[in-house]
Amino acid sequence: LIALLFPQGVERCVRTMETQPGRTVLAALFTFIGKPIVFLLLVITGIGIILVPFLALALFIAGLFGKAVALAWLGRRVLPARAASSPEHRPVIAVLVGGAIALLLYVVPILGFITYKALDVLGLGIVVYTLLLAMRAARAAKAPAAAAPAPAAEGAAAATAVDASPEPAAAAPAASAAPAFSTERANRAGFWIR
């Protein structure tokens, strides 16, 4: 049902797992380890207790979505590869095939439990890492757009300052030869560097 409602989201998460499997598994492990720590910190702060139900609901929904993504990834590993000219398998088909494989593995007593937990942890990690990559891409798209007007404004301010100087002929070549320095692009020192 999730693959029918959100095929692009499932496809994007599966692509993340296929292109960056190591980082995705690492994100899954960090999510698995960090989840109880975040809940504990929220409970300790007192004010964070209000956020615990919302975080639990968000993680539950992300876990369901992640389970569908993990099944789609498993299904795409088994489905035959298509030619580059033809479209990929639909996420619904991949989820059904991955679900059938997982169902067969669930029947085996100990292996079934390990498979169930591994798909849960991996699925949530895939979703979390894909969200982190999307936030990083959005931030990177905003940064050049915000930084582009700043040098133009600095150049206009420098030109105005040069025009207002008493010796415009001598100051103009010196101002154009020196590169404009922006404190916005400079690395800021952290607490320990100072």
Side-chain angles (χ1 to χ4, degrees), residues 94-115:
V95 168
L96 289 174
V97 171
I101 293 169
L103 185 63
L104 291 174
L105 291 174
Y106 289 164
V107 175
V108 180
I110 295 173
L111 183 64
F113 179 73
I114 292 171
T115 303

Side-chain angles (χ1 to χ4, degrees), residues 147-157:
E154 289 173 3

Side-chain angles (χ1 to χ4, degrees), residues 72-81 89 94 97-98 101:
W73 173 73
L74 185 63
R76 279 181 68 170
R77 297 295 98 217
V78 175
L79 290 173
H89 295 287
V97 171
I101 293 169

Side-chain angles (χ1 to χ4, degrees), residues 2-3 5-13 59-71 123-124 126-127 130:
I2 292 174
L5 293 175
F6 309 106
Q8 289 94 5
V10 171
E11 183 67 30
R12 188 174 183 182
C13 289
L59 284 174
F60 176 73
I61 292 170
L64 287 178
F65 192 80
K67 186 70 141 186
V69 168
L71 292 175
L124 183 60
I126 293 171
V127 171
T130 304

Side-chain angles (χ1 to χ4, degrees), residues 4-171:
L4 279 174
L5 293 175
F6 309 106
Q8 289 94 5
V10 171
E11 183 67 30
R12 188 174 183 182
C13 289
V14 170
R15 234 180 298 119
T16 300
M17 179 60 185
E18 289 175 346
T19 57
Q20 300 177 354
R23 290 183 179 182
T24 306
V25 170
L26 195 61
L29 291 175
F30 282 148
T31 304
F32 179 71
I33 293 169
K35 193 171 33 170
I37 295 170
V38 169
F39 275 110
L40 183 66
L41 288 175
L42 285 175
V43 169
I44 287 173
T45 60
I47 297 174
I49 284 181
I50 298 169
L51 298 176
V52 168
F54 298 110
L55 181 64
L57 180 66
L59 284 174
F60 176 73
I61 292 170
L64 287 178
F65 192 80
K67 186 70 141 186
V69 168
L71 292 175
W73 173 73
L74 185 63
R76 279 181 68 170
R77 297 295 98 217
V78 175
L79 290 173
R82 293 197 171 194
S85 61
S86 65
E88 285 288 324
H89 295 287
R90 294 190 51 160
V92 176
I93 296 170
V95 168
L96 289 174
V97 171
I101 293 169
L103 185 63
L104 291 174
L105 291 174
Y106 289 164
V107 175
V108 180
I110 295 173
L111 183 64
F113 179 73
I114 292 171
T115 303
Y116 177 76
K117 292 310 283 179
L119 287 177
D120 277 348
V121 170
L122 184 64
L124 183 60
I126 293 171
V127 171
V128 167
Y129 189 60
T130 304
L131 288 174
L132 287 174
L133 289 177
M135 288 188 327
R136 187 182 300 166
R139 190 178 309 144
K142 277 185 194 177
E154 289 173 3
T160 306
V162 168
D163 291 340
S165 67
E167 301 172 13

